[in-house]
Amino acid sequence: MSSILQCMDCPQQYPIQRVIYTCEACGGLLDVKHDFSAIGKTITPGLFDERLGTFGAPYNSGVWRYKELVYPGVDDQLVVSRMEGNTNLYELPRIGAYAGLDTIFLKHEGENPTGSFKDRGMTTGVTQAKALGMERVACASTGNTSASLASYAARANMQGIIFLQDQKIALGKLAQGIAFGATCLQINADFDRNMELVQLVAERLGIYVLNSVNPFRLEGQKSIMFEALQQLRWQAPDWIVLPGGNLGNSSAFGKGLLEMFEVGLIDRLPRLAIVQAEGANPLYRYFRAGFKNFAPVKADTIATAIKIGNPVNLQKAIRTLEWTRGLVEEVSDQQIMDAKAVIDSVGIGCEPASACSVAGTKKLVERGIIKRGDTVLGVLTGHVLKDPEATIGYHADQIEGIAPSYRNQMLRAKDDIDEIVRLLN
Ligand code: F0G
């Protein structure tokens, strides 16, 4: 079963054994392209249902369950897995009511081993690093990619190296990188500059880059769509809504949806809505301008995971929008934190960036683009514990410029039964 690296912009192809991230001929981004012709007929819903609940590797992973669509040719012995994926799909009428819908499905990617969807891309990325014989892997990160890389590098006995900005990293993410023993570099540069730096340094030192510019990352992240559709019994929703930062997930979703359509697992393509924070909205601006004159922005938002002004996967995200008749929305930090409080209040919770899915859905319903009766699948990208400072800051009313509309107050009492009883009454 053969796979190749295919430039998205020109006919150039490269063998998958090459360490290469963009086309040497035209600079375009690369896709991992699998030849489904030989195995197409064996890819059936039954095959994936059969593997559910199995204990053995690699099919006990919610990524490798779809191995035929993810990386068919790789030797099972090389697979570096933490049984990632297998995340829940929640049907949530109370969140639906908040967004103005009859109901909404939220797929919680924060339930992955390191608490974000990045594990799905890291299992395939680190597996490829192993197949290539790499000893060191690196990424620039707003936090989650680095936490995931640190974990998977440790599992594979590789040195993980992470490039972090020296401010505004959510505490939970920073703690993971350090705990898992990655080499953590805090650099006085923002994410976008660190993204450039990591690629330049990696080239000089022969280190494998595991940002989403690496097409093997996206192959794993496609499985969010495969698993969600399996959970929906292969009935495509009307809309899929997700946050957009570096646009790796948006790109992976487009590719995965198209492939499911091509092999006949779904009979129509849902529409994709990418939601950005107002302070980090380069794709939104470009979309509104009819894709004329792209301009990076200097990013700032409380949703630090998506504080990105010059997304690496821009062109692949645009392709996804074309394939899915998709659109781009923006939401304010206030809307993000309010939506997060509502998601938290149903006992599920997420980190700020993830709440873009619900905040964006609400806005699109208010604008009349998503209809009340539409089926919406939102993706929660990260766990509630990733960014405790944002959560506590909101409820304590200590975040500048944000009013906690859904505030939960901390009560304080003396060691006095009468006082406690009075408070609780
Ligand atoms: N949500 C969370 C929780 C994230 O960590 C990220 C990206 C995104 C959404 C956006 O996804 O980049 O594929 O558009 N975090 C990266 C990181 C940039 O370094 O952890 P995207």
Side-chain angles (χ1 to χ4, degrees), residues 138-293:
C139 70
S141 180
T142 57
N144 279 326
T145 303
S146 55
S148 185
L149 178 141
S151 167
Y152 282 76
R155 298 294 300 137
N157 282 321
M158 291 177 197
Q159 185 192 358
I161 304 165
I162 61 193
F163 286 49
L164 300 163
Q165 53 186 3
D166 61 356
Q167 45 163 334
K168 279 202 177 175
I169 302 158
L171 217 54
K173 307 175 187 182
L174 190 59
Q176 287 175 297
I178 293 170
F180 294 138
T183 304
C184 300
L185 279 169
Q186 281 208 321
I187 301 168
N188 63 337
D190 62 10
F191 172 84
D192 297 296
R193 175 63 184 150
N194 276 331
M195 191 62 240
E196 291 170 2
L197 287 173
V198 73
Q199 293 180 82
L200 296 169
V201 172
E203 191 174 349
R204 270 220 215 159
L205 297 178
I207 300 170
Y208 196 50
V209 176
L210 281 176
N211 278 100
S212 54
V213 68
N214 184 320
F216 287 92
R217 276 271 317 274
L218 304 191
E219 290 309 289
Q221 287 173 212
K222 292 187 312 191
S223 68
I224 301 172
M225 289 295 97
F226 302 155
E227 195 172 83
L229 267 295
Q230 185 175 14
Q231 287 163 318
L232 290 170
R233 307 321 292 148
W234 310 101
Q235 300 297 308
D238 297 303
W239 290 93
I240 289 166
V241 187
L242 80 163
N246 218 12
L247 302 176
N249 236 8
S250 306
S251 304
F253 284 16
K255 187 169 188 281
L257 288 166
L258 197 68
E259 288 171 354
M260 269 191 284
F261 184 71
E262 281 170 0
V263 301
L265 286 168
I266 54 174
D267 58 12
R268 66 181 180 123
L269 288 172
R271 296 186 68 185
L272 200 93
I274 303 172
V275 184
Q276 295 204 296
E278 276 176 8
N281 63 353
L283 179 68
Y284 174 77
R285 286 170 188 241
Y286 197 35
F287 173 75
R288 291 302 293 247
F291 296 125
K292 285 197 187 72
N293 303 323

Side-chain angles (χ1 to χ4, degrees), residues 91-167:
E91 187 175 349
L92 296 163
R94 271 157 68 193
I95 307 274
Y98 173 74
L101 294 168
D102 291 337
T103 190
I104 189 170
F105 293 94
L106 293 181
K107 183 149 180 69
H108 207 327
E109 287 300 301
E111 294 171 353
N112 270 289
T114 76
S116 83
F117 69 90
K118 305 290 182 180
D119 296 339
R120 292 191 186 252
M122 214 47 79
T123 184
T124 45
V126 172
T127 295
Q128 178 63 6
K130 207 164 146 187
L132 293 168
M134 307 302 288
E135 286 167 2
R136 295 195 285 179
V137 291
C139 70
S141 180
T142 57
N144 279 326
T145 303
S146 55
S148 185
L149 178 141
S151 167
Y152 282 76
R155 298 294 300 137
N157 282 321
M158 291 177 197
Q159 185 192 358
I161 304 165
I162 61 193
F163 286 49
L164 300 163
Q165 53 186 3
D166 61 356
Q167 45 163 334

Side-chain angles (χ1 to χ4, degrees), residues 1-6 13-14 16 31-43 66-74 216 219 222 255 259 262-263:
M1 170 65 212
S2 59
S3 303
I4 45 151
L5 291 168
Q6 168 72 60
Q13 296 184 335
Y14 305 89
I16 54 170
D31 284 310
V32 186
K33 198 173 155 194
H34 312 295
D35 176 11
F36 294 131
S37 60
I39 52 164
K41 284 200 181 59
T42 65
I43 299 173
Y66 312 96
K67 187 170 183 233
E68 289 78 1
L69 296 168
V70 167
Y71 196 169
V74 79
F216 287 92
E219 290 309 289
K222 292 187 312 191
K255 187 169 188 281
E259 288 171 354
E262 281 170 0
V263 301

